[in-house]
Amino acid sequence: MADLTSTFVGIKSPNPFWLASAPPTDKAYNVERAFKAGWGGVMWKTLGEDGPPVVNVNGPRYGAIFGGDRRLIGMNNIELITDRELQLNLREIKQVKKDWPDRAVVVSLMVPCEEDAWKTILPVVEETGADGIELNFGCPHGMSERGMGAAVGQVPEYIEMVTRWCKQNTNMPVIVKLTPNISDIRYPARAAHAGGADAVSLINTINSIVSVDLSTFAPNPAIDGKGTHGGYCGPAVKPIALNMVAEIARDPETRGLPISGIGGISNWRDAAEFIALGAGNVQVCTAAMVYGFKIVEEMISGLSNWMDEEGHKSIDDFVGRAVPNVTDWQYLNLNHITKAKIDQDLCIKCGRCHIACEDTSHQAIMATKNNVAGAERHFEVMEDECVGCNLCVLTCPVENCITMNPLEAGVIDERTGKVVQKDYANWTTHPNNPGAS
């Protein structure tokens, strides 16, 4: 059987599934339940400096977007870092690590951007026996308005500076949590790397307002008639997270920097995709909040079964395997042609493919009907007009009814601008090829 044991920046855990720093990891009670369910590790909910506790709102903290079947697509939260006393958290962390020595316990930290503040908190966290720290440079709401969280994560110079402070004042591995609320994720990742970070984790939540109550005209969630921007997470952010993970993994300046993948991971397949794009492990939050801690059982069994089927003996066997296949648009092969094909036995004659193509695409699906009462409509792809965009595949309600089939290599006809099936002997140097040397 596949070995799911994970070693991330020297931190060992029985599997690569960790809970992200969030409400599920706010206290020992939750973390112990998580470990009993099978989670390999946790990022303890973000601790702040010693002093008056942070005050969270006593009211709705979450907003959500649902699919037609009431399935949660995305969730927004306005909750701040832990509102429990620092010393209480530290005592619980120490006890949990003692009781669960085989699980990863990493502590998320957020204090003012002052060297003394970091020098003060690092030794008391290290004394707990925690496996490492995660610098929360990602939170986009509340704390960022106080000069912390994403306010630091959006300034590469601050990231490098604080990371260097931490590396100079602790022996624990330092993981830097990055904000996605930035134009190019490579710059903060490079800054963390330059500051000596052992790893980066991403993505944190995306700045958002998920909806407006059209009766009260207040954003949701609303507190006494007022709302604010919050952090967006859940399945909807997964594509954004995958891209950012891949950008760091393939950037020459950060290549080899360990990555902990976060963002919309709901099942084993999501996790495998993050790992294939360069993540050494993954962190989960929203899925656990929606479905409970036992969701990890499916993640463990699903990943193990897939690895057995594919012949992967360990996680390391496929970390980053997809990275070489991520490229820039200019290097895509324009000599490659696919055409849509409709399986008439599976087609339910709904016409969605036809109207989508006719109204918004390339008018490549012909609709015909015999002049016989009760006759069914018939839909057929006109290959000469089909550009292989696959919009019809995405709109068809029947799985595998429409497929994209590769044809012979083609090139662009300079007169019409369309791809034609004609092979140039020297396509790699042909002027129509944007990747030609």
Side-chain angles (χ1 to χ4, degrees):
M1 292 182 63
D3 180 8
L4 265 60
T5 301
S6 170
T7 302
F8 184 74
V9 294
I11 303 171
K12 294 183 179 180
S13 59
N15 61 64
F17 300 108
W18 294 9
L19 284 170
S21 168
T25 62
D26 191 32
K27 59 178 74 76
Y29 177 84
N30 301 69
V31 171
E32 288 175 351
R33 284 179 61 84
F35 285 163
K36 289 175 183 176
W39 290 90
V42 298
M43 296 291 193
W44 201 278
K45 188 176 180 183
T46 307
L47 309 184
E49 60 185 342
D50 203 3
V54 166
V55 179
N56 272 294
V57 295
N58 288 307
R61 300 180 183 182
Y62 307 111
I65 293 181
F66 297 96
D69 58 357
R70 187 64 184 176
R71 186 181 295 264
L72 188 139
I73 297 172
M75 185 167 72
N76 163 292
N77 87 89
I78 60 170
E79 185 164 319
L80 303 182
I81 66 175
T82 184
D83 51 14
R84 303 166 73 237
E85 292 182 356
L86 176 62
Q87 295 304 321
L88 174 59
N89 274 297
L90 294 173
R91 288 195 298 271
E92 291 189 358
I93 291 167
K94 187 172 186 177
Q95 188 62 51
V96 167
K97 186 58 191 177
K98 180 180 178 181
D99 294 342
W100 297 87
D102 68 324
R103 308 301 170 94
V105 178
V106 177
V107 180
S108 177
L109 296 176
M110 183 193 295
V111 296
C113 198
E114 301 166 359
E115 187 171 7
D116 284 344
W118 290 98
K119 282 184 175 181
T120 299
I121 198 168
L122 290 171
V124 296
V125 172
E126 189 163 355
E127 196 275 330
T128 66
D131 296 297
I133 57 170
E134 183 182 63
L135 311 187
N136 186 344
F137 295 155
C139 185
H141 58 275
M143 305 308 293
S144 60
E145 296 157 21
R146 309 177 193 190
M148 294 179 277
V152 177
Q154 291 169 335
V155 184
E157 293 81 4
Y158 290 174
I159 294 173
E160 181 177 348
M161 177 178 67
V162 177
T163 302
R164 184 170 286 111
W165 288 343
C166 292
K167 286 298 296 180
Q168 291 171 348
N169 289 281
T170 185
N171 293 315
M172 295 180 290
V174 175
I175 302 167
V176 176
K177 191 172 189 179
L178 303 178
T179 177
N181 301 295
I182 195 163
S183 59
D184 191 332
I185 197 66
R186 294 174 299 175
Y187 292 107
R190 290 171 184 173
H193 190 42
D198 296 283
V200 292
S201 58
L202 69 156
I203 59 173
N204 207 309
T205 53
I206 299 171
N207 220 350
S208 64
I209 292 177
V210 291
S211 62
V212 173
D213 187 321
L214 293 179
S215 297
T216 64
F217 293 100
N220 290 314
I223 305 297
D224 194 24
K226 302 290 184 181
T228 186
H229 60 95
Y232 193 53
C233 56
V237 311
K238 175 190 162 190
I240 298 167
L242 285 174
N243 175 63
M244 290 188 170
V245 166
E247 285 296 282
I248 294 172
R250 71 190 189 100
D251 180 11
E253 294 189 38
T254 52
R255 191 173 295 143
L257 178 66
I259 300 170
S260 182
I262 316 168
I265 298 166
S266 302
N267 53 55
W268 71 265
R269 185 178 294 275
D270 295 337
E273 291 175 11
F274 272 86
I275 295 170
L277 283 173
N281 73 359
V282 295
Q283 298 181 37
V284 179
C285 174
T286 308
M289 294 179 72
V290 174
Y291 301 109
F293 286 150
K294 286 191 176 182
I295 191 174
V296 75
E297 295 176 359
E298 181 276 337
M299 293 179 174
I300 292 170
S301 62
L303 184 62
S304 179
N305 290 340
W306 173 78
M307 289 173 62
D308 285 341
E309 291 171 2
E310 296 295 321
H312 300 304
K313 295 182 179 180
S314 71
I315 299 295
D316 290 340
D317 285 353
F318 66 100
V319 171
R321 286 283 292 273
V323 175
N325 294 324
V326 181
T327 189
D328 295 332
W329 194 97
Q330 63 179 321
Y331 301 120
L332 297 178
N333 181 14
L334 300 187
N335 199 28
H336 178 77
I337 300 179
T338 59
K339 301 286 185 180
K341 184 176 182 180
I342 300 172
D343 186 329
Q344 299 300 332
D345 293 331
L346 293 177
C347 181
I348 61 174
K349 319 302 180 187
C350 68
R352 288 180 62 182
C353 62
H354 165 68
I355 202 65
C357 188
E358 193 72 14
D359 284 358
T360 68
S361 195
H362 295 275
Q363 298 77 51
I365 297 179
M366 179 172 54
T368 59
K369 183 176 180 180
N370 297 328
N371 293 322
V372 179
E376 291 184 329
R377 295 181 296 175
H378 180 81
F379 301 96
E380 197 73 45
V381 176
M382 296 180 287
E383 281 198 358
D384 288 346
E385 300 299 327
C386 179
V387 300
C389 74
N390 88 317
L391 176 63
C392 55
V393 176
L394 301 181
T395 56
C396 179
V398 181
E399 189 174 4
N400 296 323
C401 176
I402 305 179
T403 54
M404 302 305 300
N405 299 316
L407 302 181
E408 290 180 28
V411 296
I412 297 176
D413 187 316
E414 294 175 346
R415 297 168 302 166
T416 65
K418 292 185 177 181
V419 176
V420 294
Q421 283 176 257
K422 179 182 178 184
D423 218 352
Y424 279 104
N426 298 306
W427 174 245
T428 55
T429 58
H430 193 276
N432 282 345
N433 182 357
S437 56

